[in-house]
Amino acid sequence: MSKKNLKEIVYDSVLNSIYSSEYRANEIITETSLIQKYGYSKSPIREALTALCHEGVLKNIPRCGYQVIALTSEDVQKMLEYRMVLETGMLRLCFDTITEKQLLHLDELSSLCSKNTEDVMEHWIYNMDFHIALLSLGGNDYACTQLKSCMNMLWRAYAQLHWNKWSHYNIPADMKYHDLILDAIRQKRLEDAIHYLKEDLNDFGTSSS
């Protein structure tokens, strides 16, 4: 694996700080504060912030700084509707060609999703890996890239909307549909697999309330 350059280090760090709610929605981040924090020159700091602006994470406000773009419950609903169409549609397309080897890999990912951990971000990454692997059975790399982007944005939205609920997040309960999806696929029950996938997506975040 290649070593990250300074821009990538700053980019990942700022993004993780948004995911962890260190930087809250609408908060202003300045180049000066990041230069002081990391001890790097202005160039990699600005490059990282510019990249985050291009991806819709930050908004450049001249003579002020970079504002963390706020996501709303309506944004979350639209992203979940998109995931519903994308993931169920792809499952229908590839259902008859799914192999036992592929299902065993998904079993492993599902087990990781249910493992005991207090790291909510680690859990979310396992969950994202499961859904991307399920979608990848359709052989469409573009769709997988779009799903990953959508799930990253959902994570950011959830961190903003429910930052005070992390300590009450019920990790194992949040993944209860994964095994049901895989069992239905093994038993060649397409509509049941689609049903459980929809339930899994509709269950987004409700285990924390």
Side-chain angles (χ1 to χ4, degrees):
M1 183 179 296
S2 60
K3 186 176 180 181
K4 291 181 180 179
N5 60 37
L6 297 184
K7 172 207 166 183
E8 291 169 336
I9 292 172
V10 175
Y11 174 97
D12 288 345
S13 181
V14 172
L15 197 56
N16 286 335
S17 293
I18 293 172
Y19 288 153
S20 66
S21 296
E22 178 184 345
Y23 296 138
R24 304 276 176 79
N26 297 315
E27 184 171 343
I28 300 295
I29 304 171
T30 66
E31 291 181 5
T32 301
S33 67
L34 295 184
I35 290 170
Q36 293 173 346
K37 180 176 181 179
Y38 298 108
Y40 299 154
S41 65
K42 180 179 290 187
S43 180
I45 299 289
R46 180 168 292 177
E47 288 175 4
L49 293 171
T50 299
L52 289 166
C53 286
H54 287 162
E55 294 179 13
V57 177
L58 301 176
K59 177 182 179 181
N60 186 7
I61 301 179
R63 296 181 298 280
C64 184
Y66 297 80
Q67 185 178 48
V68 178
I69 293 178
L71 295 168
T72 66
S73 296
E74 183 179 359
D75 292 326
V76 170
Q77 186 58 39
K78 289 178 179 178
M79 286 184 276
L80 290 176
E81 289 172 356
Y82 169 75
R83 284 188 61 190
M84 192 79 70
V85 173
L86 177 63
E87 294 185 56
T88 60
M90 192 63 70
L91 182 56
R92 286 187 184 279
L93 285 175
C94 71
F95 190 80
D96 292 332
T97 64
I98 298 174
T99 67
E100 181 60 24
K101 183 178 179 180
Q102 291 172 324
L103 288 171
L104 288 173
H105 176 58
L106 286 165
D107 283 336
E108 294 173 0
L109 294 176
S110 181
S111 295
L112 288 174
C113 291
S114 300
K115 83 172 200 175
N116 290 326
T117 176
E118 295 182 358
D119 188 334
V120 181
M121 189 166 187
E122 179 184 7
H123 159 69
W124 177 259
I125 291 171
Y126 290 146
N127 178 45
M128 183 164 64
D129 287 345
F130 175 87
H131 281 274
I132 291 174
L134 183 62
L135 188 76
S136 72
L137 300 182
N140 190 318
D141 293 339
Y142 177 79
C144 291
T145 299
Q146 297 309 306
L147 177 59
K148 183 175 182 180
S149 176
C150 181
M151 291 191 73
N152 281 333
M153 190 175 294
L154 270 172
W155 170 262
R156 182 159 51 92
Y158 194 79
Q160 290 181 0
L161 295 169
H162 305 288
W163 63 268
N164 60 332
K165 296 183 179 181
W166 290 132
S167 61
H168 305 293
Y169 197 85
N170 190 335
I171 289 174
D174 195 45
M175 298 295 100
K176 57 184 174 285
Y177 292 105
H178 287 185
D179 290 340
L180 294 172
I181 294 168
L182 298 180
D183 287 344
I185 294 174
R186 277 195 169 90
Q187 296 173 30
K188 304 299 182 183
R189 294 184 286 111
L190 172 58
E191 293 308 320
D192 285 344
I194 295 293
H195 168 75
Y196 291 129
L197 180 53
K198 288 181 177 180
E199 289 296 303
D200 185 50
L201 295 175
N202 284 329
D203 200 43
F204 175 77
T206 57
S207 297
S208 66
S209 56

